[in-house]
Amino acid sequence: MKLETERLVLRDFVKDDWQRVLEYQSDPLYLRYNHWTERTPDAVQEFVGWFLNQQGQEPRIKFQLAVVLKSNNQLIGNCGVRMDTFHAVEADTGYELDPKHWNHGYATEAAHAMVDFGFDHFGVHRIWAACVADNVGSAHVLEKLGMRLEGHFRENRYYKDRWWDSLYYAILADEWQAHKNGKQYYWTVE
């Protein structure tokens, strides 16, 4: 699978991508809102392995793609859209980026393309996403996608010796069509 935006290529992971993922997932800024306290080569190889396994599923209902800069072919994160079952009427989306590439609009650009792909390819009625409430950057990305805040779950996650609130966002297919302003993306499933 490959999807292109103005500045990014979103592509299926390959086995050797784990090394670059380990590099950015080891950054303390990345780890701040994650339940992980550290990342190891074995854990990251397993993490990338999930995405490699999804590529072989038939029918494929989970697309978690590597986000790569067109300018230098550097992997800077991942973004995906996933259904629980083939006949689901909704999907969820999620993304992560190397902190060195935050605040450049890459997460919004990648997520916009992935949500568009999700509605087009899956034909679902609704796409939702969740983030830690303290992660205002992630919440801002979801709002820029036109998603509406549907719920604020107080202290529903516990890790790193504290309770965390979660925010849940969603957008419906007809809302997405009105929001995307005619942007078109090119994708191929290989």
Side-chain angles (χ1 to χ4, degrees):
M1 164 73 187
K2 182 176 165 186
L3 206 163
E4 290 192 37
T5 70
E6 182 180 338
R7 302 177 296 165
L8 304 171
V9 172
L10 285 75
R11 60 156 174 83
D12 276 326
F13 274 89
V14 296
K15 188 175 180 181
D16 289 341
D17 286 334
W18 74 267
Q19 294 167 340
R20 178 66 187 108
V21 174
L22 175 62
E23 185 180 325
Y24 76 75
Q25 284 189 350
S26 296
D27 187 313
L29 287 174
Y30 169 86
L31 291 167
R32 179 179 0 170
Y33 301 119
N34 257 291
H35 64 280
W36 300 313
T37 56
E38 67 177 354
R39 299 300 281 148
T40 65
D42 287 344
V44 174
Q45 287 178 56
E46 181 180 359
F47 179 78
V48 171
W50 294 334
F51 308 145
L52 295 171
N53 290 338
Q54 292 168 2
Q55 295 169 24
Q57 294 175 342
E58 192 59 43
R60 187 170 177 186
I61 58 172
K62 297 181 187 306
F63 291 84
Q64 195 72 28
L65 305 179
V67 176
V68 177
L69 290 174
K70 281 184 176 179
S71 62
N72 62 8
N73 204 34
Q74 182 184 27
L75 189 153
I76 63 168
N78 68 77
C79 186
V81 64
R82 307 157 295 256
M83 293 192 312
D84 288 335
T85 66
F86 180 68
H87 297 291
V89 296
E90 69 175 4
D92 71 284
T93 189
Y95 45 83
E96 66 178 32
L97 283 187
D98 180 339
K100 293 178 185 75
H101 296 281
W102 289 354
N103 300 312
H104 297 285
Y106 296 132
T108 302
E109 188 172 329
H112 194 283
M114 224 46 244
V115 168
D116 194 55
F117 169 78
F119 278 121
D120 188 43
H121 181 72
F122 290 144
V124 293
H125 177 67
R126 178 177 181 273
I127 295 181
W128 65 273
C131 68
V132 173
D134 289 17
N135 190 346
V136 295
S138 188
H140 188 61
V141 168
L142 299 173
E143 290 163 2
K144 287 196 293 188
L145 292 175
M147 291 188 161
R148 294 183 187 182
L149 179 64
E150 291 189 337
H152 183 145
F153 290 69
R154 296 175 28 210
E155 298 186 359
N156 69 323
R157 296 182 185 180
Y158 187 85
Y159 55 89
K160 295 187 178 172
D161 298 323
R162 67 166 275 202
W163 287 100
W164 300 79
D165 289 8
S166 297
L167 302 176
Y168 285 80
Y169 287 84
I171 190 165
L172 304 178
D174 59 342
E175 294 169 337
W176 179 252
Q177 290 304 315
H179 173 78
K180 74 177 193 167
N181 296 326
K183 285 186 183 176
Q184 296 293 317
Y185 300 98
Y186 302 98
W187 52 273
T188 57
V189 178
E190 299 167 351

